[in-house]
Amino acid sequence: VQEAFDDIVTQLGDPPFVVQPEEKAAQEKAAAEAAAGPKLITKNVVLADGTYATQTVYSEAKIQTDDSTPHLRKMIIGGDVFLGSILSSCLTKLCLRASDFSQEMGAPKVKSMTVKAVLVMCGIVKMAEVTVTAQKSSLADCRERVTLCCRALLDPRANSLLKGTLLSEGKATFGNFLRTLKEKEAKEIKKTKPEVLT
């Protein structure tokens, strides 16, 4: 539980999950240079035998890529509200599972995980509010889900009510849903198979 939580938080980095104005300006400048395309440069050169020739060279601007940013963080900064919502739910479930192992892990470590999860969730909601993307319509859903996750972590009463639902009942319901889909798919395959008379 601890390793999974640490890996996710490491890949996400620290909030805020919005592009800073300086980074945005640099990205726009690089995009504009890349959009300009290659430049055609023509030069007159003297060949070894003393004659003149025209040399044409294409030059392209180098595109700077920042490969040090983890992909998960790039996607969140890019405005993926759905991914942020799923990450909030995942971090909440990991914190709830860690509370079951508080004897082995230690209460301070569980509290630290909870605080980090809440900070990440607040950063995700802020990203969803600030970012203009096609997923902007899902801002209310994201905010509602993150609020529920924060309540499950911070409010002892909500924790006792939601813990079982989030950790086990959700998994069982999803299993039933998949089973129903498989049965429905099997029925459709039987309907579409032609009957073979012997």
Side-chain angles (χ1 to χ4, degrees), residues 24-37 62-64:
K24 189 173 186 178
Q27 288 175 353
E28 288 174 356
K29 183 179 176 186
E33 289 175 0
K62 291 184 178 179
I63 299 173
Q64 294 179 347

Side-chain angles (χ1 to χ4, degrees), residues 56-189:
T56 305
V57 178
Y58 287 101
S59 72
E60 293 185 29
K62 291 184 178 179
I63 299 173
Q64 294 179 347
T65 55
D66 184 18
D67 292 331
S68 63
T69 305
H71 293 293
L72 188 61
R73 183 171 178 85
K74 285 180 187 177
M75 291 169 53
I76 292 293
I77 288 175
D80 197 337
V81 178
F82 295 124
L83 179 61
S85 183
I86 297 299
L87 280 171
S88 298
S89 179
C90 177
L91 292 174
T92 300
K93 289 178 181 181
L94 286 171
C95 287
L96 291 174
R97 287 210 193 279
S99 68
D100 291 341
F101 301 115
S102 62
Q103 298 291 337
E104 297 144 20
M105 292 177 65
K109 188 63 182 171
V110 174
K111 289 286 185 187
S112 171
M113 286 175 61
T114 302
V115 168
K116 284 181 185 176
V118 170
L119 284 173
V120 165
M121 287 187 257
C122 291
I124 287 171
V125 170
K126 185 65 175 175
M127 172 275 303
E129 290 173 348
V130 172
T131 307
V132 178
T133 64
Q135 299 176 356
K136 187 71 173 175
S137 62
S138 60
L139 169 63
D141 293 335
C142 177
R143 187 181 298 140
E144 186 177 322
R145 177 171 290 229
V146 169
T147 302
L148 178 73
C149 290
C150 287
R151 280 196 181 132
L153 291 176
L154 300 175
D155 183 10
R157 185 166 179 253
N159 185 317
S160 64
L161 291 172
L162 294 172
K163 188 173 183 176
T165 303
L166 290 173
L167 294 181
S168 57
E169 291 177 26
K171 184 177 179 179
T173 303
F174 186 66
N176 290 337
F177 173 71
L178 290 178
R179 195 173 312 111
T180 305
L181 282 179
K182 279 188 176 183
E183 290 171 359
K184 188 175 182 181
E185 198 174 281
K187 287 179 183 178
E188 288 182 18
I189 289 173

